[in-house]
Amino acid sequence: MPLNINGANNAVIEMGVSLRMCSPDDDLKTVINLEKAIFRPSEQYTLGFITWLCRSCTKYSFIAYVDGEPVGYIISCIEGMSRGHVISVGVLSEFRRRGIGKALMIRSICSMVSDGVDHVILEVRVSNTPAITLYRGLGFIEEGVLRGYYSDGEDAYLMVLNGDKFNEFRARYCH
């Protein structure tokens, strides 16, 4: 059963799903364990980088729980004065296609919107069709290709949510 996402402030939705802001002191191990369970070794960030992200980007980063167990996370930051950047988002394979990734994206982006961002970027593997479909559905468009972006040599799309699409997103989800 998919999640019913009406706005950024719906923390508890259906199926016992809840989203909680990532605490750098309490959730670092959870994020690291999720990262290892979700991504291939070539896709995982280093412990040092995850630690820095969790400490620097707490306000825009969330963990998804189903019945009290962590099943996904998002880490996002604000860069400069007005650019949001979704750094990493992932959901355990057995919990995908339930709207959890979408809920994480909405919550994170709306938290950045409330702090003044006017556009959001992210990078995604050109082969990650499910993620690309999700991001397009939220209004992101491919801005370009980043050649050899990933450590295994795969290219990434630079995707952007801006302009009218950003305003539509904000009006629809950020109440």
Side-chain angles (χ1 to χ4, degrees):
M1 179 181 299
L3 294 171
N4 177 18
I5 304 166
N6 296 320
N9 295 322
N10 279 350
V12 179
I13 311 184
E14 297 175 18
M15 309 178 312
V17 175
S18 62
L19 304 180
R20 185 172 56 78
M21 188 181 294
C22 188
S23 164
D25 297 322
D26 301 328
D27 295 324
L28 182 59
K29 187 172 184 168
T30 299
V31 171
I32 290 167
N33 289 337
L34 284 167
E35 174 100 355
K36 288 179 180 176
I38 294 167
F39 299 108
R40 300 182 299 235
S42 65
E43 299 172 318
Q44 295 172 17
Y45 288 119
T46 65
L47 175 60
F49 189 57
I50 292 172
T51 302
W52 181 84
L53 287 171
C54 285
R55 296 211 179 281
S56 302
C57 306
T58 299
K59 190 173 180 183
Y60 315 108
S61 302
F62 297 87
I63 299 175
Y65 292 86
V66 172
D67 299 326
E69 294 298 317
V71 300
Y73 76 98
I74 187 167
I75 297 176
S76 300
C77 293
I78 293 180
E79 300 171 337
M81 296 296 292
S82 62
R83 180 171 78 182
H85 189 172
V86 176
I87 307 289
S88 185
V89 60
V91 176
L92 294 172
S93 60
E94 61 268 31
F95 291 93
R96 292 181 187 152
R97 304 192 59 80
R98 297 186 189 185
I100 296 170
K102 182 177 182 179
L104 286 164
M105 291 287 293
I106 291 169
R107 174 62 69 82
S108 181
I109 293 169
C110 287
S111 69
M112 292 187 288
V113 166
S114 71
D115 280 351
V117 303
D118 61 15
H119 67 289
V120 179
I121 66 166
L122 59 81
E123 300 84 13
V124 61
R125 288 180 176 273
V126 296
S127 64
N128 191 345
T129 304
I132 294 166
T133 301
L134 168 64
Y135 304 148
R136 285 179 181 155
L138 292 171
F140 283 82
I141 59 165
E142 290 92 358
E143 185 86 353
V145 176
L146 305 171
R147 301 283 175 212
Y149 181 81
Y150 292 97
S151 63
D152 61 4
E154 186 171 352
D155 297 341
Y157 288 125
L158 174 63
M159 298 188 77
V160 179
L161 177 65
N162 62 5
D164 290 342
K165 294 287 188 178
F166 178 85
N167 292 329
E168 290 169 18
F169 179 97
R170 186 177 59 209
R172 181 171 184 185
Y173 297 115
C174 304
H175 306 11

